[in-house]
Amino acid sequence: MTDMDGVWAALGGDPALLPRVSTVVRSGVLDARLPVRELARTCVGVCALAAAELGARRAGLAEVPRVRVDDGAVGTAFVSERHLLVDGRAPVNFAPLSRFWRTADGWVRTHANYPHHRERLLSALGVRVDELPDEGVPAVGSALAERSSLEVEEAVCAAGGLAFALRTPKEWAAHEQAAAVRERPLVEWRRWEGAGAPRARVPGAQVLARPAAGVRVLDLTRVIAGPVATRTLALLGADVLRIDPPGMPEILDQHADTGFGKRSATLDLTADPKAFEALLAEADVVVTAYRPGALDRYGLSPEALVERRPGLVVAQLSAWGTYGPWAGRRGFDSLVQVATGIAAVEGSREQPGALPAQALDHGTGYLLAAAVLRALTERVDGGGGRVVRLALARTAAWLTDGVEPDPDSPGSGDGLADYDGPEAWLAERDSPLGRLRYARSPVSFEGGPEDWTRPPGVWGGDEARWGRVESSRR
């Protein structure tokens, strides 16, 4: 069984459709010690196949369009945040305090891109920093050098911040959270039967190009993985409305990279719960990527959402999973790499390393989009709600223990297509944010979309209401 066979099966897909997928393999793409290129190709491939399947099903066609996965397009999209230019300016992807640090007995990695995470990190370390050019790097370094890695991890996480100790694969395998992750499937499903209105078939060419046309998606995600999933659904025609708390603006460059095709609004769930309920009442899909339990106090657990909106598809993303001792912990791709042994594998004795992309984020994002598309396909002829869950740590376990390297992985053979750089998969367009250079989507199938219909707008600049319904919605 190939990687794509296994992942497509985890998504509930028909194995007879897999021959519809072809691949352009290129050397020099996402080179790493771990099989990152293979993971990326598989995630994009199953997403594109799920999109083609949904388009054919909604159009009433007997044959699913052919899917083409090009390593060049995939590799470019997996580092889309690095290719972004806004009026010629390159993005800043990591703040000064988001990095590896020496500790008394090893290494930790911190994440402090958001102001509230930076404040919690400094508070946990007892460091007071004025607004200086060095952003307090020397003071934080001195504080960390006096403590053990696990002491730092526990203190910062307890304060709501983000710092994780570097572990070897063996050390991670012995951890309780690793054991909990191993027991779960790559894609977790819960299905409800019965409730939910079926969707009628719609005219062919229109829905083949945009298989998710007319589908309304509430986007409650931040950073990379969740927004990549909803960015992909927007490419495929979904009406995606991203909702953020008013006092927590998204980082501008992240919003510019992952905001294509979407509208962005702010909404205070505490002050105006009726506004959210009005949105939920007409939503087809809700995608969440907040820490497990964070939305429960608003009555927004996946199960509660499905109960209030029968037939709803809920896709939930987390860093560590909704289980095990770390279920309530915050996390990001770079931190999952450190805790799960990936940074040790990709590094050296002198310095931890990293994957050539935020591959756990991007890969899980495409898997999440694929799961939503498959859920929508299952519901074309009716049926109840769906809850699907994915976790970065589970994707990491698949990368380290499940993905099969190509026989022609770096240094092992010839006969691959040339890779001459990312230019063929980059585009430019004007936007409310300025002139953007960006990576096009790698999701490709016969008759499918070439690009997003709209660029990202100003964060929070739209109203918290649904837009005009596309003509294919019936």
Side-chain angles (χ1 to χ4, degrees):
M1 178 180 288
T2 68
D3 295 322
M4 200 165 295
D5 291 338
V7 177
W8 185 242
L11 291 165
D14 181 356
L17 296 180
L18 287 168
R20 307 298 293 171
V21 181
S22 63
T23 303
V24 179
V25 179
R26 298 180 189 272
S27 61
V29 175
L30 299 176
D31 284 347
R33 292 172 182 164
L34 292 168
V36 178
R37 178 180 63 171
E38 295 84 343
L39 175 144
R41 180 194 303 146
T42 298
C43 293
V44 171
V46 295
C47 185
L49 183 57
E53 178 194 29
L54 176 61
R57 187 71 178 275
R58 292 185 70 192
L61 303 180
E63 188 170 65
V64 170
R66 293 188 178 277
V67 169
R68 184 172 182 268
V69 184
D70 191 311
D71 280 351
V74 172
T76 301
F78 263 60
V79 289
S80 61
E81 64 274 14
R82 301 180 199 171
H83 291 303
L84 177 72
L85 294 178
V86 182
D87 286 334
R89 177 186 61 81
V92 177
N93 292 315
F94 286 100
L97 298 185
S98 298
R99 49 171 284 183
F100 288 108
W101 305 85
R102 280 273 193 188
T103 62
D105 63 348
W107 294 87
V108 296
R109 185 158 188 171
T110 57
H111 197 289
N113 285 4
Y114 289 101
H116 57 291
H117 290 154
R118 180 178 183 273
E119 292 168 5
R120 292 168 186 171
L121 170 67
L122 295 175
S123 176
L125 297 178
V127 174
R128 298 184 64 181
V129 180
D130 296 325
E131 293 297 329
L132 299 174
D134 61 24
E135 290 286 339
V137 171
V140 171
S142 296
L144 290 170
E146 298 173 354
R147 309 184 189 192
S148 72
S149 300
L150 292 179
E151 178 188 358
V152 170
E153 179 181 279
E154 290 303 318
V156 174
C157 288
L162 292 146
F164 285 85
L166 176 73
R167 290 173 171 81
T168 65
K170 183 176 180 180
E171 289 169 336
W172 173 245
H175 196 279
E176 288 182 56
Q177 187 62 31
V181 168
R182 286 194 300 269
E183 292 174 357
R184 301 298 179 116
L186 180 64
V187 184
E188 295 186 68
W189 288 91
R190 183 178 177 188
R191 295 173 170 88
W192 281 257
E193 297 303 329
R199 290 188 177 277
R201 289 177 178 173
V202 295
Q206 179 172 281
V207 78
L208 278 177
R210 305 279 177 182
V215 174
R216 285 174 165 166
V217 178
L218 270 178
D219 179 2
L220 307 180
T221 71
R222 296 175 74 83
V223 195
I224 297 178
V228 163
T230 52
R231 179 181 71 181
T232 303
L233 296 174
L235 172 83
L236 299 169
D239 180 4
V240 179
L241 178 60
R242 173 166 165 165
I243 299 293
D244 285 290
M248 294 182 63
E250 181 60 282
I251 297 169
L252 173 62
D253 292 333
Q254 288 180 174
H255 171 67
D257 177 48
T258 61
F260 281 88
K262 309 178 193 179
R263 290 178 297 118
S264 168
T266 60
L267 185 63
D268 188 329
L269 298 179
T270 301
D272 198 358
K274 290 184 178 179
F276 182 84
E277 291 301 317
L279 293 172
L280 178 63
E282 297 187 52
D284 302 292
V285 178
V286 177
V287 184
T288 72
Y290 287 84
R291 179 172 51 92
L295 296 176
D296 291 10
R297 65 182 182 273
Y298 302 108
L300 303 182
S301 69
E303 289 76 14
L305 291 170
V306 174
E307 287 175 7
R308 297 208 300 282
R309 173 64 167 154
L312 186 71
V313 175
V314 182
Q316 184 182 33
L317 171 73
S318 61
W320 307 105
T322 59
Y323 39 78
W326 283 9
R329 284 197 174 183
R330 296 166 176 84
F332 294 107
D333 180 308
S334 58
L335 305 178
V336 175
Q337 290 188 39
V338 169
T340 61
I342 291 173
V345 171
E346 294 293 336
S348 64
R349 292 183 179 179
E350 294 75 27
Q351 177 78 32
L355 300 176
Q358 301 281 293
L360 306 180
D361 263 336
H362 285 271
T364 308
Y366 288 108
L367 288 179
L368 198 68
V372 170
L373 295 165
R374 287 251 55 260
L376 291 172
T377 297
E378 290 182 2
R379 291 198 54 244
V380 166
D381 296 326
R386 302 286 189 271
V387 171
V388 59
R389 290 184 170 95
L390 287 95
L392 301 184
R394 184 61 184 83
T395 303
W398 173 44
L399 173 64
T400 55
D401 300 321
V403 179
E404 290 294 327
D406 284 343
D408 49 21
S409 286
S412 64
D414 299 315
L416 307 181
D418 292 332
Y419 177 65
D420 298 323
E423 287 74 19
W425 298 282
L426 299 177
E428 291 193 15
R429 70 196 301 179
D430 291 321
S431 80
L433 306 177
R435 182 72 176 175
L436 302 181
R437 186 194 73 174
Y438 60 97
R440 301 204 314 269
S441 176
V443 175
S444 176
F445 55 92
E446 288 179 333
E450 295 292 328
D451 205 345
W452 289 275
T453 56
R454 57 180 289 168
V458 176
W459 178 85
D462 296 293
E463 294 183 35
R465 63 180 181 83
W466 293 114
R468 180 178 62 84
V469 178
E470 299 291 338
S471 61
S472 63
R473 182 183 174 89
R474 296 187 174 186

